[in-house]
Amino acid sequence: GLLFLDPHEEMARNTIGDGTGYPLDLHQALVRVTGGQFSPKRDVFTLDDLALEGNHLFASLLALTGFYREIGVGANHRGEAIESLASALEDLRERQAGGQKWYTLGTKLGELKAARPDLYQKAKEAILKGLADAYASRSRESRLEDFRNIWESREEKLLGMWDRTAERFSPARVSLRDLLDDVLRRGRKVILSLGLGGEQEEVVRARSALLSYMLKVLEVLVRQHRLENNALFLVDEAPAFVPRKGGEEGAGETAERLVAMVRQFRKFRVGFTFVSQSTYAIHPAVLSEAAVRVYASGLSDERDLEALAAREGKAARRLYEALPQPWSSSRRYYLGAGRIFPLTGGRAFAFTP
């Protein structure tokens, strides 16, 4: 199976290389390489096509609507608010009276308010208390009262933000879990576009939460089933999911989890490929774990060159800097390193296709 994670929608829209003079028709290439198993109409998905799962993922995606800012959560408390709201949603789902499942992540509060005002009040109060829990205990009660007042004055707008997020968790959509299962066990070839809009820090946090959720699902599926097929997950623009640094606390944890799973999944016939335009921008834990590294000529930022030297050694950097630049040569040159090149004795070497 093949899964392409596409954070900027270039693969889904089939616009790789547009405007550069070197366009790539990825869709047709996949059709040919897979012998027709890949179909652009059938196998290209966006987040709007999928039913997502997970309290933390819901709370992270909610940030993209501006919900936390609108209700008065300061930027320096957003991370804590996401965590505490995720816990509140878990409690709300687990403690529904009499086993009646009146609230799920796909429940739209606007519709709940119209149909069952009493249950709406319960859900609203649980949400507001969850947000207040992001603050120190001495200020929680005053924060909770502030949130109640803001909700009352901006209810329609806040409900709209919440319900747009809930739509992503609607069971009427294609299950992301089932899609991952198709890739792992049935050899399906899929492009998954993860284009998200919002403030940069919140977008990175949401992508990290999404990747973390997918890794958890993959771990469960891999351990539940004996895989008959090889599977490859290609993460395009990897720093969009696991950046070296940023204001999001979850990125480092996601990178560590990703590295651990890359190690484990090798024995289950599941591999990962990470694509990045910068060796510096990607989280160093991911680069350090990569068994095979290929560096295309053209890196010029000193930080990228330092990251290359830190991973491959100073001699490799000197060799890389001696490669012809792509704008001065009709051919593209690469530096290769890693276990797939045993004849080099572990040393980096230059090559061109």
Side-chain angles (χ1 to χ4, degrees):
L2 287 172
L3 176 65
F4 296 82
L5 296 184
D6 174 24
H8 300 312
E9 303 180 287
E10 288 183 319
M11 293 182 175
R13 295 176 178 173
N14 206 26
T15 57
I16 296 176
D18 280 11
T20 67
Y22 300 97
L24 170 64
D25 190 339
L26 177 63
H27 290 185
Q28 285 305 308
L30 287 174
V31 170
R32 291 195 300 270
V33 169
T34 64
Q37 293 182 37
F38 173 82
S39 166
K41 291 184 178 180
R42 183 191 63 223
D43 298 317
V44 176
F45 294 87
T46 71
L47 286 181
D48 291 336
D49 300 318
L50 300 175
L52 305 179
E53 300 174 31
N55 303 300
H56 186 266
L57 182 55
F58 185 102
S60 298
L61 292 174
L62 184 63
L64 301 180
T65 67
F67 178 89
Y68 297 100
R69 181 175 59 253
E70 188 68 25
I71 204 167
V73 175
N76 58 332
H77 280 88
R78 299 271 170 83
E80 292 89 342
I82 287 172
E83 297 297 331
S84 59
L85 179 59
S87 296
L89 294 177
E90 180 66 21
D91 290 342
L92 180 61
R93 295 169 68 190
E94 288 183 349
R95 298 177 183 177
Q96 299 180 73
Q100 179 187 6
K101 300 299 182 182
W102 55 267
Y103 179 79
T104 69
L105 293 178
T107 298
K108 293 185 177 181
L109 293 183
E111 295 177 358
L112 185 63
K113 178 185 177 183
R116 290 292 304 272
D118 56 327
L119 297 181
Y120 167 73
Q121 290 299 326
K122 285 184 180 181
K124 182 183 77 171
E125 192 66 12
I127 291 165
L128 296 179
K129 286 181 178 178
L131 294 174
D133 284 345
Y135 293 83
S137 56
R138 63 181 180 274
S139 63
R140 281 177 190 162
E141 283 303 319
S142 61
R143 286 288 181 178
L144 178 57
E145 192 58 34
D146 289 343
F147 290 149
R148 286 170 177 153
N149 292 333
I150 293 172
W151 188 287
E152 290 303 316
S153 63
R154 306 178 187 178
E155 184 176 43
E156 184 176 352
K157 187 172 185 179
L158 290 168
L159 287 181
M161 293 172 170
W162 188 278
D163 290 353
R164 288 200 302 275
T165 305
E167 182 66 28
R168 296 185 183 275
F169 294 76
S170 169
R173 296 182 173 193
V174 176
S175 167
L176 176 56
R177 182 183 296 268
D178 290 346
L179 187 64
L180 294 175
D181 189 49
D182 281 349
V183 172
L184 282 176
R185 294 203 294 150
R186 298 175 181 84
R188 191 170 182 180
K189 285 71 175 171
V190 170
I191 294 175
L192 176 53
S193 172
L194 303 177
L196 296 169
E199 295 181 4
Q200 179 61 25
E201 181 177 325
E202 292 173 346
V203 167
V204 174
R205 183 186 284 120
R207 285 199 183 112
S208 294
L210 183 59
L211 181 58
S212 181
Y213 165 73
M214 293 176 67
L215 291 174
K216 291 177 183 178
V217 172
L218 288 172
E219 187 171 21
V220 170
L221 292 173
V222 165
R223 296 189 182 283
Q224 282 182 343
H225 306 289
R226 184 175 182 274
L227 302 184
E228 301 295 336
N229 302 299
N230 295 325
L232 175 65
F233 293 84
L234 188 147
V235 183
D236 192 27
E237 300 290 350
F241 301 96
V242 281
R244 171 177 287 267
K245 59 181 180 179
E248 65 299 333
E249 301 87 351
E253 296 176 5
T254 301
E256 292 172 5
R257 183 181 185 86
L258 180 59
V259 167
M261 294 186 69
V262 167
R263 294 190 188 120
Q264 296 174 29
F265 280 16
R266 288 172 184 155
K267 61 184 177 183
F268 295 112
R269 306 170 70 173
V270 179
F272 289 83
T273 296
F274 302 94
V275 181
S276 174
Q277 296 186 49
S278 166
T279 54
Y280 173 80
I282 192 171
H283 197 284
V286 176
L287 185 60
S288 67
E289 181 57 27
V292 179
R293 286 87 58 198
V294 177
Y295 305 88
S297 60
L299 294 176
S300 58
D301 189 293
E302 179 62 23
R303 295 177 301 176
D304 288 331
L305 296 173
E306 287 178 356
L308 187 154
R311 183 66 180 89
E312 311 300 346
K314 293 181 179 179
R317 172 175 175 167
R318 289 194 295 271
L319 177 59
Y320 179 84
E321 291 181 305
L323 297 178
Q325 296 298 322
W327 52 84
S328 64
S329 172
S330 59
R331 303 186 71 177
R332 195 68 184 256
Y333 290 81
Y334 300 85
L335 182 80
R339 292 200 296 266
I340 200 172
F341 307 112
L343 297 180
T344 68
R347 295 186 299 275
F349 72 103
F351 69 96
T352 184

